[in-house]
Amino acid sequence: MNRSRVPLYTTLAVLLFFYLPIVVLVINSFNASRFGGTWDGWTLKWYAKLFTQRDIWLALKNTLIIAVGATAGSVVLGTTAAFALHRYGKSRLQRVHYSLIYTPLVVPEILMGISLLLFFVAIGAELGLFTIFLAHVTFCTSYVAMVVLARLQDFDFSIIEAAQDLGAGWWTTTWKVLLPLLAPGIAAGGLLAFTLSIDDFVISFFVAGPGSTTLPIRIYSMIKFGSPPLINALSTLLLVVTFTLVALSQRLTERRRA
Amino acid sequence: MGEFLEFDNVSRHYGDIRAVDGVSLAVRKGEFFSLLGPSGCGKTTLLRMLAGFETPDAGRVFLDGKDITAQPANERKVNTIFQSYALFPHLSVWDNIAFGPRIAKRPRKEIAEDVEKMLKLIQLSDQAWKKPDQLSGGQKQRVAIARALINKPQVLLLDEPLAALDLKLRQRMLIELDLIHDQVGITFLYVTHDQGEAMSLSDRIAVMDHGKIEQIGTPAEIYEAPRSSFVAAFIGDTNFFEGEVDEIIEGEYSRLEIEGFPPVVCFNDKQLVDGVPVFISIRPEKFRIWREKPDLDWKHTVVKGTVEDVIYLGHSTKYWVRVQDYRIAVHRQHHRFLLDEKPIRWHDDVWLSWHADDGFMLERYREADEQLMETPPEKVGEAQGRT
């Protein structure tokens, strides 16, 4: 057996490069030392302490409210957008639609943050949970649309015609055929939107107002004023949630191909 | 009017393309009727207008005396078998078949009985709880048939239902379709580009090209008496000769002039008059091949040629015979050896003969016909600038 070891080494190198900082963070979250640097043995006290911090819980509540709301909003908008794009994708209107949907994926976040902030100020909206929700819906919609659109590519539309042919009206077709078949795609898009919303810092930072601090913003301010081990513990928890959701979303998109 | 299913001067355009162009067609109750033509000829569009997935730009569609032109697809008493089967992948075979009756809100017990009956008809009773992707192509096909038939449609529409199956399975499904048609007695409207399928299944066939119907008739009528050069070329193999009517003899027959040929006698049912330029179409199996010049009556035409190619096909042999400017395809069964027991070989000089009734005169009336003469039979219907 003389298989090349190059693929193995490159993989290890890439993984190391990607995840070493994260591993350090995770390990440090169990470090008893008050300041990183030295190792004082294992502990769970930072996690315990997390649960006593009221402002962290408030930030988590805000984050979850926004994430759930933004997910719901972007799933509805993104799915309908994907439908329009798939069905009428060849028309000029839909080609413009496609580029507009695609743009938020490539525009620098900071630009989106600033423009959203300027917009909200211009129309005199009060910055708060609602403006963050709106901002998150804008970029999450693009992601949901892309995921659902990919799903639609290998969707056989004669199935819809078959349902109508068998006597199903618009409503029955949607509920009995279309949604069950697209559910994995929509769920995957939704999970992705949820993850993105929970993690978002830059855009939230611009459009957040007093009392609407989200978890990432809270973490940022803790770096300045709080204790580092606490941040490690919180980040590790956030990391676990994110990884679980992403893994779940990938499983959903892959299931049908197997 | 008065026919069971009727298209009355129906048209459907997509931009500049006339997918269906003023088609009128009547189908009898219980008939197995095929729409046959090359891809892009409008046959599927016509079917979809009956199913309700397309609305005609002009004309009306009648079913059982009712005008259904504007009726939505889900209210029509017709069901479709799709080329891709279009089974619901998230439902079991049982639930797929029960889909229609459930929507119609029929009593639960009745649905169960009917589904079981259908499963028996398609011989899949033991596979009822499988999902479609666990079935083979032929089984999926049969589920699609059951799912449509359980609704007792007035017409069953079949859109190239066998196109996705391999040859052996296709032949078996052909027989099964035929049996099912006999058993249920429902009107079948069958769309296909495969003349073999259309010929073996249909009571009548409508041959379509460029959105128009070229000819309607029984399979034998269409094969034996094609009314246009397209039909002659599309259905089976044929040889075209270009000539001119010379004189009409004995009423039904005419003498034709074909360059380089002796006077050709041909059946002239269309009463084409002197001087009309015509094509004469002769099927390869209508020729007889001789070593010596045969002595035949006046209804036969005899020409001399040279064998250019011999292709052994198993059930028959195909000869390409050069006669003047023409390369004539000749099919002979069990005639690889002539009476003198010597095989016909390349470069042999032979005599070809055919009977006046075996040739069909077709008027040369459009440019497309000229192109058709140059097109090899297997390419007819392709390469004519279709979309």
Side-chain angles (χ1 to χ4, degrees), chain B residues 48 78 80 90 96 135 142 147 153 187 202 207 238 258 270 375:
Chain B
R48 290 171 60 82
V78 298
T80 311
H90 59 303
N96 260 285
L135 301 178
R142 300 202 313 250
R147 188 180 65 172
T187 310
S202 317
V207 182
T238 197
I258 298 175
K270 298 182 189 76
T375 317

Side-chain angles (χ1 to χ4, degrees), chain A residues 26 47 233-247:
Chain A
V26 171
Y47 288 91
L234 187 55
S235 304
T236 305
L237 287 181
L238 204 56
L239 206 68
V240 170
V241 173
T242 310
F243 262 91
T244 319
L245 291 180
V246 169

Side-chain angles (χ1 to χ4, degrees), chain B residues 121-135:
Chain B
L121 177 76
I122 59 167
Q123 297 162 29
L124 282 179
S125 300
D126 51 338
Q127 320 267 345
W129 299 108
K130 282 194 176 167
K131 289 277 173 71
D133 55 5
Q134 293 168 285
L135 301 178

Side-chain angles (χ1 to χ4, degrees), chain A residues 156 158-170 172-173 176-178 180-181 256, chain B residues 48 51 53 73-74 76 78-80 82 84 86-90 99-100 103 147-148 151:
Chain A
D156 178 10
S158 57
I159 288 173
I160 301 299
E161 287 186 344
Q164 291 171 347
D165 190 70
L166 294 166
W170 181 86
T172 323
T173 308
K176 290 259 167 77
V177 179
L178 195 56
L181 286 175
R256 252 255 302 247
Chain B
R48 290 171 60 82
F53 303 136
N74 56 336
R76 298 190 184 195
V78 298
N79 287 113
T80 311
F82 294 84
S84 60
L87 297 179
F88 305 121
H90 59 303
F99 192 89
I103 292 209
R147 188 180 65 172
N151 306 294

Side-chain angles (χ1 to χ4, degrees), chain A residues 71 75 79 144 147-148 182-193 245 248-249 252:
Chain A
T71 303
V75 158
T79 307
V144 175
V147 173
V148 177
L182 287 182
I186 295 174
L191 284 175
L192 192 63
L245 291 180
L248 214 62
S249 131
L252 282 173

Side-chain angles (χ1 to χ4, degrees), chain B residues 216-257:
Chain B
I216 300 176
T218 64
E221 278 167 6
I222 280 174
Y223 187 81
E224 301 289 343
R227 222 164 313 132
S228 73
S229 41
F230 175 80
V231 176
F234 187 70
I235 313 288
D237 265 4
T238 197
N239 295 287
F240 283 121
F241 303 93
E242 212 174 337
E244 211 171 81
V245 180
D246 200 20
E247 58 171 324
I248 297 178
I249 42 168
E250 304 222 357
E252 298 255 87
Y253 293 91
S254 288
R255 212 183 303 280
L256 307 181
E257 204 182 283

Side-chain angles (χ1 to χ4, degrees), chain A residues 148-211:
Chain A
V148 177
L149 192 61
R151 189 79 190 182
L152 282 172
Q153 302 298 354
D154 49 33
F155 186 79
D156 178 10
F157 269 90
S158 57
I159 288 173
I160 301 299
E161 287 186 344
Q164 291 171 347
D165 190 70
L166 294 166
W170 181 86
W171 188 248
T172 323
T173 308
T174 307
W175 275 106
K176 290 259 167 77
V177 179
L178 195 56
L179 284 182
L181 286 175
L182 287 182
I186 295 174
L191 284 175
L192 192 63
F194 192 79
T195 329
L196 288 167
S197 173
I198 282 190
D199 286 358
D200 180 71
F201 171 74
V202 178
I203 293 174
S204 309
F205 189 69
F206 276 96
V207 296

